[in-house]
C-alpha cells in the first residue's frame, strides 16, 4: 500500500499562501491523491483530489509532480480559519471501503 | 440540510459497559464508515458498509460491532471487549463506497470511559 509522509507542523502568515508538501514515493499509477483537513474536534473536511494533472477548486490548488512521487496543497490566501490538521491521503487498492488511510497529517497554524 | 449527524457529541461511560454511538445520514449515500482517532494520531478504520445488511471489518474491528439495517443509519457499539475505548469516533459516508468516492464526515463523538 502506498503511504504518505508530511511535515508534522507548519506556520503561515495570514493572507499569504500556505504550501503544504506531501511525499508519496510508492504511489501506483492508478492511485489518486486526496487532501482533507480537520479543525480541532470536528470531522475531516474534503478539500481536493487529483491523479496526475494539477487541480484547482474554490478552496485550494493541488500540484502533483510529473513523476507523481510528491504533491503540494496550496491555500492561496490563508486565513485564521484555515488553522487545522491537513491530511494527504493516497487511495489504496481497488476494493471498496478500505481505501482511505489517514496518517498524522500536518498541523498548519495561520498566524495573524 | 443534507449531511451526517452523530450523537451525542460527548459521551461518558463506566468501564465494562457497552455503548452505542449513533450515525445518521440523509445524503442517500450507499456506503458508510466508522473511524477512530486518538490524540495526535490519524484516523483508523473500524468498520465499513457498502450496502444495507452488509458490512466489513476495517483495520481495528476487535471490540466493536455494527449493524446496517437501514440505508440512513450505521450505529457502532463499543463493547466491553475493547481494551482502550476512550477516543474520538468519526462516521463518514460516500455515494457508493467506490475507490474514487469522496468521503464526507460527521462531527464526531468523543467517548470517555471512566
Amino acid at each position: 500500500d502506498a503511504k504518505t509522509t508530511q511535515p508534522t507542523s507548519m506556520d503561515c502568515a495570514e493572507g499569504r499562501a500556505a504550501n503544504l508538501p506531501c511525499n508519496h514515493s510508492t504511489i501506483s499509477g492508478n492511485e489518486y491523491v486526496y487532501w482533507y483537513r480537520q479543525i480541532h474536534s470536528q470531522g475531516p473536511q474534503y478539500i481536493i483530489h487529483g491523479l496526475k494533472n494539477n487541480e484547482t477548486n474554490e478552496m485550494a490548488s493541488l500540484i502533483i509532480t510529473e513523476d507523481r512521487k510528491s504533491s503540494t496543497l496550496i491555500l492561496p490566501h490563508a486565513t485564521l480559519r484555515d488553522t487545522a490538521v491537513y491530511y494527504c491521503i493516497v487511495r489504496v487498492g481497488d476494493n471498496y471501503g478500505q481505501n482511505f488511510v489517514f496518517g498524522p497529517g500536518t498541523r498548519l497554524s495561520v498566524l495573524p | 440540510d443534507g449531511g451526517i449527524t452523530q450523537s451525542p457529541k460527548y459521551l461518558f461511560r463506566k468501564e465494562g459497559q457497552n455503548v452505542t454511538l449513533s450515525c445518521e445520514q440523509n445524503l442517500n449515500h450507499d456506503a458508510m464508515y466508522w473511524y477512530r482517532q486518538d490524540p495526535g494520531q490519524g484516523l483508523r478504520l473500524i468498520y465499513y458498509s457498502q450496502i444495507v445488511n452488509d458490512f466489513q471489518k476495517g483495520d481495528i474491528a476487535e471490540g466493536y460491532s455494527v449493524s446496517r439495517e437501514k440505508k440512513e443509519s450505521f450505529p457502532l457499539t463499543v463493547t466491553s471487549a475493547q481494551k482502550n475505548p476512550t477516543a474520538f469516533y468519526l462516521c463518514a459516508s460516500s455515494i457508493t463506497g467506490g475507490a474514487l468516492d469522496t468521503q464526507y464526515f460527521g462531527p464526531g463523538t468523543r467517548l470517555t470511559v471512566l
Side-chain angles (χ1 to χ4, degrees):
Chain A
D1 294 340
K3 295 182 179 178
T4 64
T5 56
Q6 300 175 252
T8 303
S9 63
M10 293 181 64
D11 292 339
C12 176
E14 187 178 16
R16 305 295 293 270
N19 298 299
L20 290 90
C22 179
N23 287 323
H24 30 80
S25 59
T26 59
I27 193 170
S28 299
N30 62 348
E31 290 179 318
Y32 284 67
V33 180
Y34 281 78
W35 283 84
Y36 280 76
R37 73 180 183 184
Q38 187 176 22
I39 295 170
H40 182 63
S41 294
Q42 298 182 22
Q45 176 190 24
Y46 166 79
I47 302 173
I48 199 167
H49 74 281
L51 181 63
K52 53 183 178 180
N53 296 324
N54 298 337
E55 302 287 344
T56 296
N57 63 20
E58 65 279 3
M59 288 183 70
S61 294
L62 174 61
I63 309 298
I64 302 174
T65 58
E66 194 170 339
D67 63 8
R68 300 189 70 238
K69 293 186 177 182
S70 65
S71 61
T72 301
L73 178 75
I74 301 173
L75 308 178
H77 305 287
T79 71
L80 298 179
R81 287 179 293 182
D82 292 321
T83 293
V85 177
Y86 287 77
Y87 297 99
C88 170
I89 302 153
V90 171
R91 176 187 70 86
V92 294
D94 293 321
N95 295 325
Y96 290 117
Q98 293 192 25
N99 56 7
F100 283 97
V101 179
F102 287 76
T106 295
R107 183 172 298 277
L108 175 69
S109 298
V110 179
L111 307 174
Chain B
D1 287 339
I4 303 172
T5 56
Q6 292 184 244
S7 61
K9 189 169 177 63
Y10 298 96
L11 189 56
F12 297 87
R13 280 294 182 271
K14 291 183 180 179
E15 193 172 347
Q17 289 182 333
N18 292 355
V19 59
T20 297
L21 281 60
S22 165
C23 178
E24 304 278 332
Q25 54 98 0
N26 60 4
L27 300 167
N28 200 33
H29 286 174
D30 283 329
M32 297 185 74
Y33 311 78
W34 274 105
Y35 291 88
R36 169 186 171 132
Q37 186 175 35
D38 293 288
Q41 307 281 324
L43 279 66
R44 292 182 290 169
L45 184 66
I46 304 172
Y47 269 98
Y48 64 97
S49 167
Q50 297 168 225
I51 199 168
V52 173
N53 293 322
D54 183 64
F55 47 83
Q56 304 296 327
K57 292 181 179 180
D59 299 324
I60 54 165
E62 185 175 351
Y64 300 97
S65 65
V66 293
S67 62
R68 188 86 187 278
E69 297 176 2
K70 298 187 299 181
K71 187 176 185 177
E72 309 79 38
S73 178
F74 191 40
L76 173 75
T77 297
V78 184
T79 75
S80 57
Q82 169 49 235
K83 291 183 172 56
N84 188 17
T86 294
F88 188 47
Y89 290 89
L90 288 156
C91 178
S93 71
S94 65
I95 294 175
T96 66
L100 299 184
D101 270 1
T102 298
Q103 294 187 13
Y104 297 91
F105 287 81
T109 292
R110 188 168 299 279
L111 172 65
T112 301
V113 175
L114 307 171

